[in-house]
Amino acid sequence: MAEFMELEGQDGVRMAWNVVPGTKQEASNCVVPVSAIYTPIKPFPSMPVLPYAPLRCRNCRSVLNPFSIVDFAAKIWICPFCFQRNHFPPHYASISDENLPAELFPQYTTIEYQSPREASSLPPVFMFVVDTSIIEEEMAFLKSALSQAIGLLPDNSLVGLITFGTLVHVHELGFGTIPKTYAFKGSKDVSKDQLLEQMGFFLNKPKPSTGVIAGARDGLSSESIARFLLPASDCEFALNSILEELQKDPWPIPVDQRASRCTSTALSVAASLLGACVPGSGARIMAFIGGPSTEGPGAIVSKNLSEPIRSHKDLDKDSAPHYHKAVKFYEALAKQLVHQGHVLDLFACALDQVGVAELKVAVERTGGLVVLAESFGHSVFKDSLRHVFQSGDKDLGLSSNGIFEINCSKDIKVQGILGPCASLEKGSTSAWKLCGLDQATSLCLIFEIVKKDIPDATVQSSSNQFYFQFLTYYQHSTGEMRLRVTTLSRRWVAGPGSIQDLIAGFDQEAAAVVMARLVSFKMEIEAEFDPIRWLDKTLIHICSRFGDYQKDSPSSFSLSPRFSIFPQFMFHLRRSQFVQVFNNSPDETAYFRMILNRENVANSVVMIQPSLISYSFQSVPEPTLLDVAAIAADRILLLDSYFTIVIFHGSTIAQWRKAGYHNQPEHQAFAQLLQAPRDDADAIIKDRFPVPRLVICDQHGSQARFLLAKLNPSATYNSDGHHPGGDIIFTDDVSFEVFLDHLQRLAVNKI
């Protein structure tokens, strides 16, 4: 695994197959698709940033790279993708074996170009869209968090404010003497033209004749734009004054009804306003939502409390009356935002569902951030919001206006991408729009091998490399336009002797993450899809093809170390929140999948198979098996399941803590034992976005369920004896041992 992590450290790429199956049939036999998890703008301290434009192949437009064949005498380079011969321009005249440009250095397979002419003059834009249909206590928490966030904004950034409840209020920040707002009816969708007309954009000028408004470039004066979008340094006082005065929605709520909340209309107004004022800029709509949408085209439930909010069962039976209409609305909003180059970030904080499942399409296609918490007062929300704006070595590196393209060798083509992006729909070209991306954004690229037959051995030995090139053109957080180029080469194999090569290049962690993204995707788009059956069939096929065994003899079965942990990953994926939607709301499931779809391999593996560390007097902190057998009365366990971090005190430890032993000087060692997992948990929390929830619990306590739900049930209520001080799990789920036993039997019997 170490060498795959080393490759990731150089290029930000993890591939499931690092030796690629060479034909269509071979790839199909491998079951896990040829795929890569790529982090387009992962920071590399040693990566050079070149202050000139890249040299491109005149045929396929791929960029000059270390795999290009160079004829120094003739000043020609041959493209490894299409074999086109290209002449070097005059400013490369001095190149030679000893005098290479940086893009030809073998270690610079990932490199960045910065074009000084293209630095964007547009500052970052933040449009806060704030829900006011919430209780006073939540309102106070939200106002406090927002005023903190406003203080952290870059001085040159433009800021706007929209509040909504029964009505949508657009605040005119540039009108200094008294607060001034424009109100729109929440139940009615407002077109961009109506919006601009009502807000007086054309008072001093005739309305442009074209139907599409294109911001300052098309007749909107900078003065009219500055009424609603002001530099943070100029409007901090005005914004804080409005926030201080902000009250919860004044409209009375009958006791048998939900609050009136027009989320979709407010987001539509925000999108149209930004599309009119700052199209093509790195603008973000930051929506703070505290309850279900009950008004407008994106409503998820009626105001009547007798109607429950849709559950997974309702969605499966197609008996959620508002769902399809809301999703259709947000698909149209996503299309509008992608066209404008703008991002939708979602901060959903409520005990109830707010409509994350419906909003998912708009957040994901624009590359937005998403945070789900129980309250605006919860540390998950407050610390995550602070993390968005903090600068320094822990900042997210928010970037915008990305376009992502892929070039491949002719025998391989891109099947699609799973991740936070939108297709540019440019026919057969492989190009996607990344309206918003950050240093952690990771895309899952699925490839298809199109070569049908195996060439003869002589050809195979001389040209058995597939080449991939990933191009990310984006606006850096500093405002500069940059192009990141990553070029990879992977050996392909085919024919009877290739199986050992394929095994040697298999990255089981990357493969597990690809399978998790694929199964989540299929569960959302395929009707009647059975995820457990699909994962089990995949695993049986893989074990049957790559396992070492005698036919019909389960006891002879063994897997290479390259594959040995893969069944374990699949066992935990079957039990994970991505596949088992029981006990989760559609909002929670959508949230988990959105995070999985944008995170790198290391973080995604923790979501699939959480890590468990044991602390005791007998040994130093050490990783332990994710099994109920890890529980002991004199142990503390630290579980990291990515979304939740659990510190679990065994029963003896809990008794000592309650007796206050850790406060006594003679029990200093116990105090240190209690503190160690807290320090480790804090270190994890500090580095992660969204900030995970911290649960501190005791053995046999009610919150111990957060740990027990993730453990392998090797000891259950109907199994024979368990060790004293340990625990059992009340479940009918099979244990990993039983699962593995069945897997071996099926794999060796498969023909």
Side-chain angles (χ1 to χ4, degrees):
M1 209 69 76
E3 69 268 41
F4 302 138
M5 292 171 87
E6 209 173 291
L7 288 171
E8 186 181 25
Q10 184 181 332
D11 293 314
V13 179
R14 292 276 290 268
M15 293 189 77
W17 301 99
N18 288 280
V19 175
V20 181
T23 65
K24 196 180 181 74
Q25 187 54 50
E26 290 268 347
S28 153
N29 292 345
C30 285
V31 192
V32 174
V34 175
S35 48
I37 305 277
Y38 178 52
T39 310
I41 59 169
K42 182 181 168 75
F44 297 115
S46 59
M47 178 191 68
V49 178
L50 307 181
Y52 50 84
L55 208 53
R56 288 179 178 265
C57 169
R58 61 196 169 102
N59 179 37
C60 70
R61 306 292 297 144
S62 64
V63 172
L64 178 66
N65 60 77
F67 303 105
S68 306
I69 299 159
V70 179
D71 180 341
F72 293 108
K75 298 289 184 277
I76 282 172
W77 62 279
I78 300 168
C79 170
F81 295 95
C82 67
F83 309 112
Q84 170 73 40
R85 295 164 68 82
N86 298 279
H87 287 278
F88 281 105
H91 59 278
Y92 278 79
S94 63
I95 67 164
S96 67
D97 256 339
E98 288 79 42
N99 185 23
L100 287 176
E103 60 265 44
L104 287 176
F105 276 42
Q107 70 269 36
Y108 293 150
T109 43
T110 291
I111 203 159
E112 217 161 74
Y113 296 89
Q114 171 197 332
S115 193
R117 292 195 308 279
E118 296 179 24
S120 172
S121 57
L122 285 168
V125 181
F126 298 97
M127 176 65 79
F128 292 106
V129 178
V130 179
D131 182 356
T132 57
S133 287
I134 51 181
I135 60 171
E136 295 287 0
E137 186 186 15
E138 285 292 296
M139 198 77 210
F141 287 141
L142 179 54
K143 279 155 66 169
S144 159
L146 286 175
S147 61
Q148 261 192 0
I150 289 160
L152 293 169
L153 288 173
D155 282 350
N156 69 328
S157 58
L158 297 179
V159 190
L161 177 66
I162 292 174
T163 55
F164 69 95
T166 307
L167 304 173
V168 178
H169 295 275
V170 183
H171 294 261
E172 189 173 323
L173 303 175
F175 194 76
T177 42
I178 53 168
K180 185 175 176 184
T181 64
Y182 292 82
F184 296 90
K185 194 174 179 185
S187 54
K188 201 168 151 221
D189 203 16
V190 189
S191 75
K192 191 189 279 188
D193 283 2
Q194 288 172 321
L195 178 82
L196 298 179
E197 193 85 58
Q198 277 174 272
M199 289 167 64
F201 272 90
F202 307 119
L203 289 178
N204 307 326
K205 288 188 169 195
K207 182 177 169 184
S209 54
T210 53
V212 179
I213 309 299
R217 294 190 288 263
D218 197 25
L220 295 188
S221 68
S222 53
E223 295 81 42
S224 56
I225 291 171
R227 290 158 51 205
F228 303 100
L229 292 172
L230 276 178
S233 52
D234 296 357
C235 68
E236 191 172 343
F237 177 74
L239 260 176
N240 280 319
S241 305
I242 292 169
L243 284 176
E244 274 172 36
E245 299 295 319
L246 203 57
Q247 300 296 315
K248 72 183 281 290
D249 194 52
W251 297 82
I253 307 164
V255 287
D256 60 341
Q257 294 208 344
R258 293 182 176 90
S260 184
R261 184 180 283 103
C262 57
T263 310
S264 54
T265 314
L267 293 175
S268 178
V269 166
S272 296
L273 185 58
L274 288 177
C277 295
V278 284
S281 70
R284 306 186 81 95
I285 298 171
M286 304 193 98
F288 300 88
I289 302 173
S293 174
T294 56
E295 194 87 85
I300 65 161
V301 69
S302 73
K303 286 184 201 163
N304 214 329
L305 276 169
S306 59
E307 182 192 322
I309 299 180
R310 79 276 176 285
S311 64
H312 276 295
K313 196 174 268 185
D314 296 327
L315 296 180
D316 290 344
K317 290 180 179 170
D318 209 9
S319 59
H322 308 274
Y323 181 75
H324 293 294
K325 185 186 172 195
V327 169
K328 196 174 173 189
F329 170 83
Y330 285 119
E331 277 176 346
L333 182 71
K335 199 171 179 183
Q336 179 188 345
L337 287 169
V338 168
H339 177 68
Q340 293 170 188
H342 296 158
V343 183
L344 173 61
D345 295 324
L346 178 60
F347 296 86
C349 298
L351 287 166
D352 218 338
Q353 296 185 70
V354 306
V356 178
E358 288 81 356
L359 273 156
K360 178 178 187 280
V361 61
V363 177
E364 213 160 38
R365 284 188 193 163
T366 61
L369 306 171
V370 59
V371 174
L372 185 67
E374 292 173 0
S375 154
F376 287 115
H378 202 290
S379 62
V380 169
F381 165 70
K382 291 192 299 189
D383 294 347
S384 296
L385 182 62
R386 202 175 303 127
H387 202 150
V388 172
F389 296 110
Q390 83 181 31
S391 52
D393 56 350
K394 293 275 190 287
D395 73 341
L396 297 178
L398 294 179
S399 301
S400 53
N401 277 323
I403 288 178
F404 180 69
E405 291 186 62
I406 304 176
N407 293 318
C408 301
S409 295
K410 67 177 176 59
D411 290 322
I412 192 164
K413 69 178 187 188
V414 187
Q415 212 172 11
I417 287 189
L418 298 172
C421 58
S423 171
L424 278 177
E425 292 165 7
K426 277 190 175 177
S428 62
T429 56
S430 314
W432 290 263
K433 181 85 176 266
L434 300 162
C435 296
L437 68 163
D438 57 64
Q439 291 174 355
T441 304
S442 300
L443 305 172
C444 176
L445 324 172
I446 310 284
F447 299 101
E448 185 184 1
I449 309 295
V450 288
K451 185 162 42 176
K452 296 265 194 310
D453 54 341
I454 305 169
D456 61 63
T458 54
V459 180
Q460 185 172 334
S461 60
S462 62
S463 61
N464 63 343
Q465 295 289 323
F466 278 149
Y467 295 101
F468 307 84
Q469 190 172 72
F470 309 143
L471 305 169
T472 313
Y473 185 70
Y474 71 104
Q475 185 179 340
H476 191 264
S477 48
T478 56
E480 303 162 348
M481 296 307 294
R482 292 196 180 179
L483 174 67
R484 169 85 62 106
V485 181
T486 295
T487 314
L488 309 172
S489 161
R490 292 289 185 271
R491 185 164 63 92
W492 60 262
V493 292
S498 63
I499 203 150
Q500 287 308 318
D501 287 331
L502 289 171
I503 289 172
F506 184 67
D507 180 346
Q508 46 198 341
E509 288 188 347
V513 174
V514 170
M515 296 307 285
R517 286 205 195 192
L518 267 176
V519 78
S520 298
F521 174 69
K522 285 174 173 289
M523 285 177 78
E524 285 180 1
I525 63 154
E526 291 182 21
E528 307 297 316
F529 175 68
D530 184 341
I532 299 286
R533 187 178 169 81
W534 183 77
L535 286 171
D536 287 352
K537 276 177 73 175
T538 303
L539 185 57
I540 293 163
H541 275 293
I542 279 194
C543 289
S544 181
R545 175 152 165 73
F546 295 103
D548 196 7
Y549 57 88
Q550 291 160 9
K551 186 147 175 48
D552 298 335
S553 169
S555 60
S556 67
F557 182 88
S558 70
L559 279 171
S560 145
R562 289 288 195 210
F563 277 86
S564 56
I565 314 174
F566 191 69
Q568 200 172 307
F569 286 143
M570 292 298 100
F571 171 75
H572 288 291
L573 177 59
R574 291 164 92 255
R575 303 182 75 223
S576 72
Q577 64 271 49
F578 307 115
V579 174
Q580 300 292 347
V581 297
F582 176 75
N583 217 11
N584 282 328
S585 67
D587 270 18
E588 287 170 313
T589 301
Y591 174 65
F592 296 141
R593 288 177 180 165
M594 284 160 90
I595 303 290
L596 173 75
N597 258 0
R598 54 174 294 123
E599 278 302 332
N600 63 20
V601 171
N603 285 339
S604 302
V605 164
V606 173
M607 297 179 209
I608 297 165
Q609 180 177 306
S611 68
L612 192 64
I613 297 172
S614 157
Y615 301 78
S616 70
F617 286 122
Q618 283 78 40
S619 68
V620 294
E622 56 183 1
T624 184
L625 282 175
L626 192 65
D627 192 294
V628 66
I631 295 175
D634 59 350
R635 249 188 211 175
I636 302 176
L637 296 175
L638 173 65
L639 176 91
D640 177 9
S641 66
Y642 195 83
F643 302 100
T644 310
I645 289 176
V646 183
I647 297 175
F648 175 94
H649 294 146
S651 51
T652 307
I653 299 275
Q655 284 169 357
W656 290 347
R657 191 197 69 237
K658 286 170 188 166
Y661 288 166
H662 56 295
N663 297 324
Q664 296 170 12
E666 64 269 31
H667 293 297
Q668 201 65 43
F670 179 56
Q672 286 167 355
L673 182 69
L674 279 182
Q675 191 56 39
R678 281 304 301 260
D679 292 343
D680 291 350
D682 289 344
I684 295 168
I685 289 167
K686 199 177 288 180
D687 281 351
R688 190 165 291 169
F689 182 89
V691 169
R693 174 182 181 180
L694 178 64
V695 175
I696 299 174
C697 60
D698 296 339
Q699 190 176 355
H700 312 308
S702 66
Q703 290 201 306
R705 66 185 189 279
F706 285 102
L707 172 73
L708 296 176
K710 297 290 182 187
L711 298 179
N712 169 35
S714 59
T716 66
Y717 67 95
N718 59 6
S719 61
D720 295 334
H722 62 283
H723 64 281
D727 222 322
I728 58 168
I729 295 179
F730 291 89
T731 181
D732 288 323
D733 283 359
V734 299
S735 68
F736 179 59
E737 292 72 20
V738 174
F739 174 79
L740 205 54
D741 189 42
H742 282 263
L743 173 64
Q744 289 171 355
R745 250 181 300 157
L746 290 162
V748 299
N749 292 333
K750 193 175 178 303
I751 297 167

